[in-house]
Amino acid sequence: DEDEGVMKMKVSLLVSTAPPTVRIVHSGHTCNVEEERYSERVYTIREGATLELQCMVTGHPHPQIRWTKTVGGASDRQGDSTLHNETLKITNISRHQGGRYYCKAENGLGSPAIRSIRVDVYYLDEPIITVHQSVGESKEQFYFERTVFLRCVATSHPPVLYSWRRGREALTQGSDAGVEIYEPFFTQGETKILKLKNLRPQDYAGYTCISSVRSVCGIGDKSAHFSLNNRTAPPSVKLLLEDPLVVNPGETITLVCVPSGGDPPPYLEWVRPGGEELPKRSVVNGGTLTIPAVTVDDSGAYSCVASNNVGNPAKKSTTILVRGLRKGRFWITPDPYHNDDNIQIGREVKISCQVEATPPEELQFGWLKNGRPLRSSERMVITHTDTEVSPGTTNLDIIDLKFTDFGTYTCVASLRNGGTPEISIDVNISSTTVPPELSVPRGRSHLVAQEGDTVDLQCLVSGKPKPIILWSRVEESGAAVAAAPVLMPDGSEQTESYDGVLRINNVTRETSGTFRCQTSQYNGFNVKPREALIQLVVQFPPTVEPVYTEIRQALSRAFSLTCQLLRAHPARLLRYEWKLGSRLLTVGQFSEQRDDTSYLVKALNREGYGEYTCDITNEAGAGRCTFLVTGESAYSPEFYYDTVGALWQNRPRVYGFKLQWTQMEPNAVDRILAYRLGIRQMSQSRWWEQEIPMEATIQKGELLTYNLTELIKPESYLVRLTPITRYGEGDATERIITYSGEFQCGFEDEALCLFSQDKTDEFDWTHHSAATRDTKYTPNTGPSADHSGSKQGFYMYIETSRPRLEGDKARLLSPTFNMNSKTSLPSSSSTSSSSSVTYCFAFYYHMYGKHVGALNVFLRQKAQTVTDTSVWSLIGNQRDRWRQAKVNIHPTAAFQIVMEGVRGTGIEGDIAIDDVTIKEVRESVS
């Protein structure tokens, strides 16, 4: 008897590779999952709950899975953009994490499979009541015989339903002539506005706004309260300080804001424009803002905002000005009426001095010559820009320069009221004061460095005074006109240098390019900038692949090793060197047409095992490919996870499992003689082992099968499979077998999960995929994809085109499920005349077309006689969408499910089924 054995073996020669398919299932705290169309699934969840989506995939080798998210909160998974896992889990989900989630599966075969589901996060915030009076009626007595509006707003998803109460009295439209409840035309949602017309004494009361989302996802109602009286008024506020407030650096400043009106008493808050944060060391106490040790960075506008939800918030602002002088600069302008940039006797020369000052109106300049005060005269003309213009500039124009005018001129900038040190700038005018010249040292205009080096780019600058040098990068020729500027290594567009040297530490290949040095037009001559270019070339060693790989080969075999060059600089004069351990095998030089080198082993001997290296070198160094050639036994097997009907019922308390796998590189070293099978219960530590002999040579892609029986319900098992050759054991692989207690069939395999066609009907069901649909198919009927939305997925359907006639039937029979044999479904008790098991039979159907006939489901029981009992039936067009049907069945003997499709009145009557499940739900006692 087969049930008495522990393990049985079967080998089939099927090619196992298959492209991926994918579907998304949900768990966790869902409120609702709506199938809008086969391509749109909406998962509803409450904010703060746990989102858990599982990506169920098929395909061999087992596909890699990746979760991504579209706009709507760019892939919120703790900030990650992707998640490589079958299960996407987000605890304490927020509203910003709603949106469309995609599961992508790929295994290198065909196109990746992608499915998506939209996640709707439901929430309800606390409502807020705001009170307003119509602007046209606004006077000093805000609410005396006036029309008042109470507006209730709550942020939510889905939209809120609002209701109002005055005291304990519910207010509805028409319940009080003095009250009107309406929805403004410019908003969306339910009623929000409560209008009190010509305020009456009874309108001075407490009002409650109740917001509700109708308890979806268990979200309860929320409410807000407001007491309206004859003192209710909007806020007003005043500042107890000067504006602007001018202070010295290091002082402690206190900004005081007090309410001057408003009922209820307003709430006060200090803010800065544009949402800028208050200084970190500042202290806020009610309406008082204190900033200790104020700095120039604290300068700017500060606003006190008062709000009490009545009328509009009140706002008063002040500006803090921290005294200071910054960015002192100077420049010398030669006589503009001569083309010569030099300073010469008898010509005009102008010295300019510029300083940024706060406040700008306090800025004042003074001039010294050789340390003595200098006043404006006909030949020494001193001018200043308007004090309201920042930065402030002063000019000293020397007309008809004389020898006696040579000397040191000092520009002194200060603030009229002190509080900060003055700035002095010395400018020397003499016969040695000459405009700048710029050059690159000989041999330094083209530099070659290697990655990781420290490089000094140098421009020699002459002239007096010596100007600041500005460094920048030059865009490569051919770049787009609107391309962004090439940034310096520190990320800036321009870098200043006072000695003409730009030092770059740890140069990279991205640093290669052209650098420009040029004189600045400040702190020197105000003339056309001088500039020079330096070319930097960064060399780097070859990048190669594979960096490391293991190769298993049997003795006497021939094989080839290939090292691929990806990139290198310089890419000329590349050499390669092959070694086995320290033994040199061959050397050579790359030709311009080659980007790889190979080494051939004609017949592997025992001395040929070991580590082969290939070094590809250039001037900058070497890149190495490493190949570990071993005679170790076989590679690991790869379990096949897409076995149709892998799990079956063996007897009421045990189950069986069809274990299937393929062998990676089955003949890499030597023929696999057997597999060592290890199995243990997940709850125990003891392993049971058995050897599975392999009589024939395993082919690549061959699907191997072994039937596991006598597995105890509902235990899960860890299975380990190890290939064995004459050289020993190879790499093992493991998988977990889980008891599901459920029969599933998506019709993805030609075996149809052991479903079969009835031989006594008029025609057959067709196994079909939308991707292989005949171009001559009948339009306006049948599905355009399987239930999961995949055009590559399969389903079963009846083709109602000619020669089919009205009333023709096609029957599809499920496998036989025997209550006491290995093909029955799981049951936790044996059957008897006093009890039976209830199963849920579920499937998806698609009935679209104006000529659709009927779809019938029968329970066929095989006792002493065979009986068919109708358990479900549907007639006519059900629109272009997949729907699910569920029905409980109560078999008392071995049984089958019969799916019967009946042809309607015409050719537009295709009927399809997909994703069939049979699962035990409960026991019933008769």
Side-chain angles (χ1 to χ4, degrees):
D1 190 325
E2 187 173 318
D3 289 344
E4 296 303 318
V6 180
M7 307 280 176
K8 302 296 179 184
M9 163 114 190
K10 172 187 171 188
V11 175
S12 59
L13 300 180
L14 296 176
V15 176
S16 67
T17 56
T21 67
V22 62
R23 62 191 178 100
I24 298 175
V25 298
H26 58 84
S27 57
H29 302 81
T30 179
C31 305
N32 183 43
V33 177
E34 180 182 354
E35 303 280 348
E36 291 187 354
R37 286 186 62 83
Y38 65 81
S39 61
E40 174 81 339
R41 301 184 67 209
V42 182
Y43 178 102
T44 305
I45 188 170
R46 178 175 179 171
E47 187 171 49
T50 297
L51 171 71
E52 193 164 337
L53 300 175
Q54 190 170 8
C55 195
M56 307 294 291
V57 300
T58 66
H60 190 70
H62 196 59
Q64 296 291 318
I65 298 172
R66 182 176 64 176
W67 281 98
T68 58
K69 185 177 183 293
T70 58
V71 176
S75 190
D76 300 272
R77 168 65 184 146
Q78 314 303 330
D80 294 344
S81 60
T82 58
L83 174 69
H84 299 268
N85 199 343
E86 291 186 2
T87 301
L88 170 69
K89 186 173 182 180
I90 303 177
T91 56
N92 193 26
I93 192 169
S94 70
R95 63 196 66 179
H96 308 296
Q97 292 172 304
R100 181 167 298 284
Y101 287 82
Y102 286 85
C103 176
K104 179 180 181 181
E106 52 188 337
N107 64 356
L109 299 173
S111 301
I114 301 176
R115 293 293 293 149
S116 68
I117 188 169
R118 196 178 81 230
V119 176
D120 268 1
V121 181
Y122 280 3
Y123 57 90
L124 173 62
D125 291 343
E126 296 289 341
I128 298 174
I129 297 176
T130 56
V131 183
H132 297 270
Q133 179 187 13
S134 58
V135 176
E137 300 173 348
S138 181
K139 292 185 179 179
E140 289 184 5
Q141 294 179 325
F142 195 76
Y143 290 111
F144 183 71
E145 293 184 357
R146 295 290 179 261
T147 297
V148 174
F149 301 87
L150 277 70
R151 183 187 188 95
C152 186
V153 176
T155 305
S156 73
H157 181 60
V160 177
L161 174 67
Y162 297 91
S163 57
W164 286 94
R165 302 183 72 87
R166 181 170 55 197
R168 297 184 177 180
E169 172 195 5
L171 294 175
T172 59
Q173 184 66 29
S175 64
D176 185 330
V179 177
E180 184 178 339
I181 302 176
Y182 69 97
E183 163 74 15
F185 74 91
F186 50 83
T187 61
Q188 296 179 349
E190 307 287 352
T191 302
K192 296 181 179 180
I193 303 295
L194 184 68
K195 181 179 180 181
L196 308 177
K197 300 179 288 187
N198 293 322
L199 209 62
R200 306 160 299 175
Q202 62 264 37
D203 293 329
Y204 292 125
Y207 291 85
T208 302
C209 167
I210 302 167
S211 59
S212 172
V213 288
R214 307 160 193 82
S215 297
V216 295
C217 287
I219 299 175
D221 296 349
K222 296 186 178 182
S223 62
H225 184 77
F226 188 88
S227 293
L228 184 68
N229 56 56
N230 58 3
R231 298 182 306 278
T232 301
S236 58
V237 69
K238 63 180 179 180
L239 300 179
L240 305 181
L241 49 89
E242 299 177 1
D243 182 39
L245 183 61
V246 182
V247 297
N248 295 324
E251 293 182 354
T252 296
I253 58 174
T254 301
L255 310 182
V256 180
C257 171
V258 295
S260 54
D263 190 288
Y267 168 76
L268 301 179
E269 181 183 19
W270 280 98
V271 297
R272 298 194 71 177
E276 186 180 352
E277 293 184 356
L278 296 173
K280 285 188 170 25
R281 61 192 179 285
S282 61
V283 178
V284 179
N285 184 10
T288 302
L289 170 65
T290 301
I291 306 175
V294 69
T295 67
V296 174
D297 293 334
D298 301 326
S299 299
Y302 290 76
S303 299
C304 175
V305 181
S307 55
N308 65 351
N309 292 340
V310 179
N312 294 318
K315 180 179 178 181
K316 291 286 186 180
S317 300
T318 186
T319 301
I320 296 176
L321 299 178
V322 181
R323 287 190 177 92
L325 298 171
R326 297 186 304 139
K327 293 187 178 178
R329 294 175 172 176
F330 76 92
W331 56 89
I332 301 169
T333 306
D335 194 329
Y337 300 105
H338 294 81
N339 292 328
D340 188 357
D341 290 339
N342 289 291
I343 296 175
Q344 296 186 21
I345 299 295
R347 293 184 183 178
E348 178 182 336
V349 64
K350 181 165 69 174
I351 306 172
S352 300
C353 178
Q354 187 180 82
V355 174
E356 289 185 7
T358 304
E361 63 272 14
E362 290 190 13
L363 176 62
Q364 56 187 13
F365 287 107
W367 284 93
L368 305 175
K369 179 185 177 184
N370 297 328
R372 296 184 178 182
L374 187 67
R375 299 184 180 279
S376 185
S377 64
E378 289 185 1
R379 216 169 52 77
M380 297 276 187
V381 181
I382 298 174
T383 58
H384 308 297
T385 57
D386 192 326
T387 56
E388 295 182 0
V389 177
S390 183
T393 306
T394 180
N395 300 304
L396 172 60
D397 252 314
I398 304 175
I399 311 297
D400 188 16
L401 183 67
K402 301 181 183 303
F403 181 79
T404 55
D405 296 329
F406 288 165
T408 299
Y409 292 84
T410 304
C411 161
V412 181
S414 61
L415 294 178
R416 187 177 305 113
N417 296 318
T420 187
E422 62 184 23
I423 291 180
S424 297
I425 301 172
D426 292 335
V427 182
N428 187 265
I429 301 295
S430 69
S431 58
T432 60
T433 303
V434 294
E437 293 298 333
L438 201 61
S439 63
V440 177
R442 183 184 298 275
R444 300 287 293 173
S445 59
H446 185 89
L447 299 179
V448 177
Q450 296 187 4
E451 275 194 314
D453 288 351
T454 295
V455 178
D456 285 340
L457 308 186
Q458 184 178 16
C459 281
L460 299 176
V461 60
S462 61
K464 188 176 179 181
K466 190 176 290 188
I468 294 173
I469 301 300
L470 303 178
W471 287 93
S472 60
R473 296 191 67 173
V474 180
E475 293 183 20
E476 299 298 327
S477 59
V481 175
V486 185
L487 300 180
M488 296 290 288
D490 63 0
S492 63
E493 290 187 25
Q494 201 172 64
T495 302
E496 292 185 351
S497 168
Y498 290 88
D499 59 0
V501 175
L502 174 66
R503 171 162 290 184
I504 306 175
N505 295 312
N506 193 25
V507 295
T508 65
R509 60 194 69 180
E510 289 77 21
T511 315
S512 291
T514 304
F515 289 77
R516 175 191 291 115
C517 63
Q518 66 180 35
T519 58
S520 67
Q521 291 181 291
Y522 52 87
N523 291 8
F525 271 69
N526 182 23
V527 294
K528 182 180 178 181
R530 276 59 166 165
E531 67 175 45
L533 301 178
I534 297 178
Q535 183 75 29
L536 175 62
V537 176
V538 179
Q539 296 181 340
F540 54 90
T543 302
V544 298
E545 69 174 12
V547 175
Y548 179 87
T549 188
E550 180 186 3
I551 295 175
R552 303 183 184 188
Q553 285 290 344
L555 291 172
S556 303
R557 292 272 184 88
F559 63 94
S560 178
L561 307 175
T562 300
C563 186
Q564 179 87 25
L565 171 67
L566 300 180
R567 54 195 157 285
H569 191 83
R572 65 184 189 281
L573 302 178
L574 292 167
R575 294 182 57 81
Y576 61 83
E577 182 180 86
W578 283 93
K579 286 184 176 182
L580 172 56
S582 59
R583 178 161 61 93
L584 181 64
L585 300 175
T586 183
V587 296
Q589 186 167 316
F590 274 81
S591 64
E592 293 185 1
Q593 293 76 27
R594 296 278 314 227
D595 59 1
D596 62 35
T597 173
S598 298
Y599 181 74
L600 175 64
V601 178
K602 294 181 179 180
L604 183 64
N605 54 31
R606 293 196 177 276
E607 290 72 28
Y609 287 123
E611 187 173 87
Y612 290 75
T613 58
C614 174
D615 289 333
I616 300 178
T617 58
N618 65 2
E619 297 175 25
R624 170 171 287 189
C625 295
T626 300
F627 306 87
L628 180 61
V629 178
T630 71
E632 290 184 15
S633 195
Y635 289 96
S636 62
E638 295 180 299
F639 281 116
Y640 185 61
Y641 286 85
D642 302 341
T643 305
V644 178
L647 189 71
W648 76 83
Q649 176 68 22
N650 195 32
R651 288 198 302 274
R653 290 181 175 80
V654 297
Y655 68 100
F657 189 87
K658 184 190 295 184
L659 189 69
Q660 292 189 302
W661 70 94
T662 58
Q663 177 61 47
M664 183 191 304
E665 303 297 338
N667 299 300
V669 177
D670 199 41
R671 188 176 79 81
I672 293 174
L673 303 176
Y675 285 93
R676 177 167 288 111
L677 172 70
I679 184 169
R680 70 171 176 86
Q681 289 186 20
M682 295 295 292
S683 59
Q684 298 182 7
S685 58
R686 180 172 173 269
W687 285 87
W688 182 91
E689 290 190 344
Q690 178 178 336
E691 195 166 284
I692 307 171
M694 294 285 114
E695 300 299 336
T697 300
I698 301 172
Q699 303 301 315
K700 187 170 184 177
E702 181 180 330
L703 190 63
L704 306 174
T705 301
Y706 192 87
N707 290 332
L708 303 176
T709 60
E710 306 299 315
L711 305 177
I712 300 171
K713 294 194 307 184
E715 294 289 336
S716 296
Y717 289 82
L718 179 64
V719 175
R720 177 190 297 155
L721 206 58
T722 309
I724 301 172
T725 71
R726 58 179 173 167
Y727 296 107
E729 293 188 356
D731 295 341
T733 189
E734 295 180 346
R735 72 163 294 181
I736 294 174
I737 294 172
T738 303
Y739 171 75
S740 67
E742 180 177 348
F743 173 84
Q744 298 177 331
C745 183
F747 301 111
E748 298 300 327
D749 192 276
E750 288 292 339
L752 303 182
C753 318
L754 304 181
F755 273 79
S756 59
Q757 307 283 354
D758 192 339
K759 304 301 183 184
T760 64
D761 54 11
E762 288 80 16
F763 68 111
D764 287 344
W765 288 79
T766 302
H767 186 225
H768 191 63
S769 165
T772 58
R773 169 181 277 181
D774 190 335
T775 56
K776 299 179 180 178
Y777 78 97
T778 306
N780 304 317
T781 187
S784 58
D786 74 353
H787 157 247
S788 70
S790 169
K791 292 188 179 297
Q792 285 74 38
F794 284 85
Y795 53 87
M796 302 297 291
Y797 89 111
I798 60 168
E799 172 59 63
T800 57
S801 301
R802 294 179 180 85
R804 300 278 67 82
L805 300 175
E806 183 178 357
D808 282 0
K809 297 181 177 64
R811 294 190 189 94
L812 189 67
L813 309 179
S814 77
T816 298
F817 302 106
N818 193 315
M819 305 297 286
N820 290 297
S821 75
K822 82 171 190 177
T823 54
S824 73
L825 283 163
S827 172
S828 58
S829 66
S830 60
T831 59
S832 68
S833 60
S834 63
S835 67
S836 64
V837 181
T838 297
Y839 298 98
C840 176
F841 172 63
F843 64 97
Y844 284 87
Y845 63 89
H846 190 282
M847 301 172 67
Y848 170 53
K850 62 184 179 182
H851 301 139
V852 167
L855 177 60
N856 304 314
V857 178
F858 298 94
L859 173 65
R860 175 172 292 180
Q861 298 195 71
K862 299 180 178 181
Q864 293 180 348
T865 60
V866 177
T867 59
D868 284 0
T869 305
S870 175
V871 294
W872 186 90
S873 183
L874 191 62
I875 299 174
N877 183 7
Q878 306 299 318
R879 296 192 297 159
D880 185 12
R881 63 183 291 179
W882 286 96
R883 296 172 180 265
Q884 188 181 36
K886 292 183 178 181
V887 60
N888 286 337
I889 57 175
H890 312 278
T892 57
F895 67 93
Q896 286 178 291
I897 299 295
V898 181
M899 310 287 290
E900 180 184 75
V902 184
R903 202 259 196 186
T905 58
I907 63 173
E908 294 182 19
D910 293 354
I911 297 174
I913 60 172
D914 199 5
D915 289 339
V916 175
T917 61
I918 304 176
K919 185 175 183 179
E920 179 186 349
V921 290
R922 67 178 183 276
E923 285 188 359
S924 61
V925 179
S926 57

